[in-house]
């Protein structure tokens, strides 16, 4: 490193544990890697709300637009709303 504190960090592979998502990390990732990165951060948040259905709901949410997904990671209220929508869809389809 040059020692310049304002220099952007060099692009590197995603850290072992899901850290904060940065625009640089997303920009340097393939679309599949981006979905994995977002999913890895989304799943624990969904799991806190719906442990039994976390995998199913996370999969449903990952079909949304990437910008909406990033909003869900930033906004607990928006995430709660989408989790509730997914639960409603699941209940509707399971009782049909």
């Amino acid at each position: 490193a040059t020692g310049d504190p304002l220099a952007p960090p060099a692009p590197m592979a995603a850290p072992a544990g899901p850290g904060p998502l940065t625009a640089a990390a997303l920009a340097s990732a393939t679309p599949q890697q981006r979905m994995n990165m977002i999913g890895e951060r989304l799943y624990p948040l969904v799991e806190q709300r719906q442990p039994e259905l976390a995998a199913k709901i996370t999969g449903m949410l990952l079909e949304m637009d990437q910008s909406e997904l990033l909003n869900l990671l930033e906004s607990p209220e928006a995430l709660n709303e989408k989790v509730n929508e997914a639960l409603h869809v699941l209940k509707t389809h399971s009782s049909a």
Side-chain angles (χ1 to χ4, degrees), residues 49-50 53 57 60 82-92:
R49 292 158 174 81
Q50 289 295 324
L53 296 169
I57 292 172
M60 293 169 71
K82 289 297 179 185
V83 167
N84 287 336
E85 284 179 30
L87 282 171
H88 179 73
V89 169
L90 289 171
K91 285 179 185 167
T92 303

Side-chain angles (χ1 to χ4, degrees), residues 68 71-72 74-85:
E68 290 183 74
N71 180 51
L72 296 184
E74 300 290 320
S75 169
E77 297 83 16
L79 180 60
N80 279 334
E81 188 177 312
K82 289 297 179 185
V83 167
N84 287 336
E85 284 179 30

Side-chain angles (χ1 to χ4, degrees), residues 1-69:
T2 61
D4 180 358
L6 300 177
M12 48 190 250
L21 271 182
T22 63
L26 286 171
S28 65
T30 67
Q32 185 59 50
Q33 287 172 322
R34 272 185 233 133
M35 280 299 163
N36 289 343
M37 293 162 75
I38 293 170
E40 286 171 1
R41 287 156 182 83
L42 199 53
Y43 179 83
L45 300 175
V46 174
E47 190 178 32
Q48 291 172 2
R49 292 158 174 81
Q50 289 295 324
E52 303 82 29
L53 296 169
K56 181 89 171 162
I57 292 172
T58 301
M60 293 169 71
L61 295 177
L62 286 174
E63 294 179 20
M64 294 170 53
D65 183 68
Q66 180 179 314
S67 61
E68 290 183 74
L69 290 170

